[in-house]
């Protein structure tokens, strides 16, 4: 994204903050961690521990039994994949030493030698083949490996993956946590990777206290070298202001999801650092297209046109986000405004009239899994009331929310999707093959599927962008859900913490983080 665009967005955020339209909520306390840690700012040497606060608990520690951001945070601690996404969101070799695209449908990957699993075993090609084949059996993640027609062993250092013709997603998919490499013998034994996540990652699980915390210790045989921080605790703190207070009180060291309402005061604290980045996370009012009323395209356009997205950003994020009008994230090449709705209440009423649907019959609950989503939902609720559509706000824990929305057991929800590239994004959010997984609007459109399939087999980037533009225009026309915002995402942590890097997809590799001496 250009500096000019970022500067404009920052100015918008500052002006909205100065408007003072929101007041700070009451703060709830959280328990203090009792770990014996030395504070480098007060002398006594560097820490070997860190406490991290996050708002949502992972639905699983297995790499194959979820497709949730909260779960990916945990998975990159304990597992590795053949490739991983760098800070520029580009796939780079991880457990793969090198690779070769032998022909348009054949890929060879040479694996690194001497990589150890947490159980002491050395990784082999047999483990790689078995892991990738195993992952294909899980609905939650097979979106990221179903394009592998065959996976086989070439020799003791090389694995072969075949696809059905040219495939632009091979390296991207190999970055996904669902394709993590685990020991073949544990797969064969039916090992429970949710309770005992054995991988090659930089950290090993020590304990999972459901609903409270997860504790990890450094893996001393990690192939890149043992992490400097030896003990790591993730605290589950759903309420944003409680995370803020815990950081200010020294009870935690790092906040993954910073409460936007507290951003200014955290920035003013010289003992803390706050970093921001333009997140690829795209957030919407998800609409189940199979539900009566919402199966009408004009009704969906009416809902989309009735939502004041500037107000949603102000109320939900205190201005620290960008209103979204398009079906795909704005910071990916190929996104277009063609056919996109704008905020227009009269146009919304016109859409309803053309739909032939009585707005009083369109009733639903908006499921929200955290405070930010709830604030956004309340704005949407008020906006829709202006066009005669009544809806309720329903709070739900993250795990239940993820399950209900994936299975289609809902009518509407505030949700989002994060990806490091547009191809993975549209496959996950809009392709019909992702229904019952991450296509939560349950959109089924032959033209959309065809354009995505065409993009997947187009290796030339410029040609693929042109396809994406057609796709984006089609998605805007279908309006399967109402885009709301892309957040200017924040991370906050103690000033003595070094090595913190975050990509625009939110990825951070904690094995590179350390305390300054």
């Amino acid at each position: 994204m250009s500096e000019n665009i970022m500067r404009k967005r920052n100015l918008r955020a500052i002006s909205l903050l100065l408007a003072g339209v929101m007041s700070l909520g009451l703060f709830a306390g959280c328990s203090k961690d009792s770990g014996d840690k030395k504070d480098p700012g007060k002398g006594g040497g560097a820490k070997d521990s860190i406490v991290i606060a996050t708002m949502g608990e992972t639905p699983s520690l297995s790499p194959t039994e979820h497709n949730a951001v909260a779960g990916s945070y945990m998975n990159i601690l304990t597992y590795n994949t053949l490739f991983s996404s760098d800070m520029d969101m580009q796939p780079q070799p991880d457990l793969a030493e090198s690779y070769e695209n032998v022909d348009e449908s054949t890929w060879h990957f040479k694996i690194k030698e001497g990589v150890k699993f947490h159980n002491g075993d050395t990784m082999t090609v047999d483990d790689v083949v078995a892991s990738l084949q195993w992952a294909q059996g899980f609905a939650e993640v097979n979106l990221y490996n179903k394009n592998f027609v065959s996976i086989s062993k070439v020799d003791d250092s090389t694995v072969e993956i075949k696809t059905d013709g040219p495939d632009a997603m091979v390296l991207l998919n190999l970055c996904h946590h669902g394709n993590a490499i685990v020991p073949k013998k544990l797969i064969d034994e039916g090992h429970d990777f949710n309770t005992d996540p054995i991988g090659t990652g930089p950290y090993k699980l020590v304990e999972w206290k459901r609903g409270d915390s997860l504790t990890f210790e450094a893996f001393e045989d990690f192939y890149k070298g043992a992490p400097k921080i030896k003990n790591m605790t993730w605290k589950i703190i759903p309420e944003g202001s409680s995370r803020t207070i815990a950081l200010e009180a020294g009870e935690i060291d790092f906040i993954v999801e910073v409460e936007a309402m507290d951003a200014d005061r955290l920035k003013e604290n010289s003992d803390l650092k706050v970093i921001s980045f333009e997140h690829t996370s795209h957030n919407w009012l998800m609409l189940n297209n199979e539900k009566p009323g919402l199966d009408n395209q004009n009704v969906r356009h009416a809902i989309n046109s009735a939502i004041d997205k500037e107000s949603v950003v102000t109320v939900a994020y205190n201005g620290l986000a960008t209103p979204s009008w398009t079906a795909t994230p704005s910071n990916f090449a190929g996104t277009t405004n063609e056919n996109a709705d704008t905020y227009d209440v009269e146009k919304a009423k016109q859409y309803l009239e053309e739909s032939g649907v009585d707005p009083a019959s369109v009733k639903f609950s908006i499921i929200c899994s955290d405070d930010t989503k709830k604030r956004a939902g309340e704005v949407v609720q008020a906006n829709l009331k202006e066009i005669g559509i009544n809806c309720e706000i329903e709070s739900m824990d993250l795990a239940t929310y993820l399950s209900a929305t994936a299975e289609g057991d809902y009518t509407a929800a505030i949700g989002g999707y994060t990806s490091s590239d547009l191809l993975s994004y549209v496959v996950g959010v809009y392709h019909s093959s992702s229904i019952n997984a991450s296509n939560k609007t349950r959109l089924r459109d032959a033209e959309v599927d065809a354009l995505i399939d065409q993009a997947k087999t187009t290796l030339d980037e410029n040609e693929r962008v042109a396809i994406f533009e057609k796709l984006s225009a089609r998605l805007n026309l279908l309006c399967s859900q109402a885009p709301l915002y892309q957040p200017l995402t924040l991370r906050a942590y103690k000033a003595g913490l070094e090595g913190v890097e975050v990509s625009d997809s939110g990825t951070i590799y904690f094995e590179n983080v350390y305390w300054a001496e």
Side-chain angles (χ1 to χ4, degrees):
M1 178 168 294
S2 71
E3 291 182 3
N4 286 338
I5 293 174
M6 283 300 298
R7 189 176 297 113
K8 289 178 181 178
R9 290 187 174 178
N10 289 338
L11 286 172
R12 181 194 295 142
I14 291 170
S15 65
L16 286 169
L17 284 169
L18 292 175
V21 295
M22 289 296 296
S23 60
L24 294 175
L26 294 176
F27 295 139
C30 60
S31 61
K32 185 173 182 178
D33 184 88
S34 59
D36 182 14
K37 297 176 290 182
K38 296 177 180 179
D39 187 341
K42 297 181 180 179
K47 291 183 180 181
D48 65 355
S49 300
I50 188 171
V51 181
I52 302 162
T54 186
M55 69 180 181
E57 185 170 29
T58 177
S60 175
L61 290 176
S62 168
T64 57
E65 296 178 4
H66 72 90
N67 192 26
V69 172
S72 69
Y73 292 150
M74 303 296 103
N75 288 160
I76 63 174
L77 297 175
T78 55
Y79 304 102
N80 290 100
T81 44
L82 286 181
F83 279 70
S84 59
S85 179
D86 66 15
M87 290 299 107
D88 294 320
M89 300 186 296
Q90 297 300 311
Q92 301 295 339
D94 190 348
L95 293 179
E97 180 68 34
S98 60
Y99 71 100
E100 179 185 6
N101 193 187
V102 179
D103 57 44
E104 68 176 19
S105 60
T106 306
W107 298 72
H108 283 179
F109 300 91
K110 184 177 181 180
I111 66 169
K112 284 186 166 66
E113 295 182 356
V115 176
K116 294 286 188 180
F117 288 111
H118 297 158
N119 64 354
D121 291 349
T122 300
M123 182 187 72
T124 68
V125 167
D126 292 330
D127 297 313
V128 175
V129 171
S131 296
L132 297 179
Q133 292 176 340
W134 173 64
Q136 288 182 311
F138 291 84
E140 294 88 347
V141 298
N142 67 13
L143 168 66
Y144 303 95
N145 48 48
K146 64 172 61 177
N147 58 325
F148 302 158
V149 174
S150 69
I151 305 157
S152 60
K153 176 179 178 179
V154 176
D155 55 42
D156 287 343
S157 64
T158 310
V159 60
E160 178 180 274
I161 295 177
K162 282 186 171 291
T163 59
D164 185 13
D167 196 318
M169 295 194 69
V170 171
L171 301 185
L172 298 170
N173 283 353
L174 289 175
C175 295
H176 192 268
H177 61 75
N179 293 315
I181 307 305
V182 300
K184 178 181 184 299
K185 75 175 186 181
L186 294 186
I187 296 173
D188 294 341
E189 293 170 359
H191 182 78
D192 185 355
F193 288 94
N194 181 41
T195 58
D196 188 19
I198 301 296
T200 63
Y203 287 91
K204 300 188 296 182
L205 178 70
V206 175
E207 184 180 21
W208 183 3
K209 296 180 180 178
R210 302 299 178 104
D212 179 72
S213 63
L214 299 98
T215 306
F216 300 87
E217 64 181 8
F219 179 37
E220 294 301 319
D221 290 327
F222 180 51
Y223 86 91
K224 294 181 182 179
K228 292 184 179 180
I229 293 179
K230 304 303 180 185
N231 304 293
M232 176 181 291
T233 299
W234 286 67
K235 298 284 292 182
I236 312 302
I237 307 177
E239 210 279 315
S241 60
S242 294
R243 295 192 296 274
T244 299
I245 288 177
L247 181 62
E248 291 172 328
E251 297 165 357
I252 62 171
D253 304 305
F254 192 104
I255 299 177
V256 175
E257 304 92 355
V258 176
E259 170 55 61
M261 302 303 166
D262 298 339
D264 277 356
R265 93 172 203 239
L266 288 173
K267 291 177 181 178
E268 292 168 359
N269 189 330
S270 61
D271 294 329
L272 304 175
K273 285 187 178 180
V274 179
I275 59 175
S276 62
F277 57 97
E278 186 79 11
H279 208 304
T280 61
S281 175
H282 198 210
N283 297 266
W284 345 270
L285 172 66
M286 294 192 301
L287 301 170
N288 188 334
N289 291 192
E290 294 180 344
K291 298 294 185 181
L294 299 182
D295 59 356
N296 186 303
Q297 185 172 313
N298 280 327
V299 171
R300 299 195 299 269
H301 275 293
I303 290 171
N304 193 26
S305 300
I307 299 173
D308 181 356
K309 296 168 187 183
E310 294 279 0
S311 293
V312 171
V313 164
T314 300
V315 173
Y317 266 92
N318 204 15
L320 296 176
T322 302
S324 181
W325 310 100
T326 60
T328 54
S330 62
N331 44 356
F332 287 136
T335 291
T336 178
N337 288 322
E338 184 179 349
N339 299 325
D341 293 316
T342 58
Y343 175 47
D344 188 334
V345 176
E346 293 307 312
K347 181 66 174 177
K349 293 176 180 177
Q350 182 181 334
Y351 273 127
L352 273 179
E353 184 176 347
E354 292 173 356
S355 75
V357 175
D358 180 1
S361 69
V362 185
K363 297 178 180 179
F364 52 84
S365 293
I366 302 175
I367 299 174
C368 303
S369 63
D370 60 54
D371 290 342
T372 302
K373 293 176 182 177
K374 185 178 180 181
R375 292 194 296 267
E378 288 169 348
V379 175
V380 171
Q381 180 186 40
N383 289 159
L384 296 186
K385 192 172 184 179
E386 292 183 35
I387 61 170
I389 294 177
N390 293 306
C391 53
E392 302 296 328
I393 304 297
E394 180 180 358
S395 295
M396 187 176 288
D397 68 88
L398 181 62
T400 307
Y401 160 91
L402 290 170
S403 176
T405 53
E407 294 169 4
D409 186 20
Y410 83 105
T411 304
I414 304 293
Y417 195 84
T418 299
S419 180
S420 59
D421 65 281
L422 185 54
L423 183 53
S424 297
Y425 178 91
V426 294
V427 170
V429 177
Y430 296 115
H431 200 284
S432 64
S433 64
S434 301
I435 291 173
N436 293 325
S438 48
N439 178 350
K440 299 187 176 186
T441 65
R442 310 182 77 78
L443 173 68
R444 301 174 189 269
D445 184 78
E447 185 176 340
V448 166
D449 284 355
L451 287 167
I452 294 174
D453 291 340
Q454 183 183 359
K456 288 196 300 186
T457 59
T458 301
L459 302 183
D460 183 271
E461 185 174 353
N462 290 330
E463 292 178 11
R464 197 162 59 244
V465 168
I467 296 168
F468 285 146
E469 289 174 349
K470 294 180 182 177
L471 174 63
S472 179
R474 175 68 178 170
L475 291 169
N476 291 339
L477 179 66
L478 293 173
C479 192
S480 64
Q481 55 194 351
L484 295 177
Y485 54 83
Q486 287 183 240
L488 181 66
T489 302
L490 308 176
R491 300 284 189 262
Y493 53 93
K494 288 185 178 177
L497 204 60
E498 301 291 344
V500 177
E501 288 187 286
V502 188
S503 74
D504 279 359
S505 61
T507 300
I508 177 171
Y509 296 108
F510 275 101
E511 64 266 31
N512 299 326
V513 174
Y514 60 94
W515 291 105
E517 297 291 339

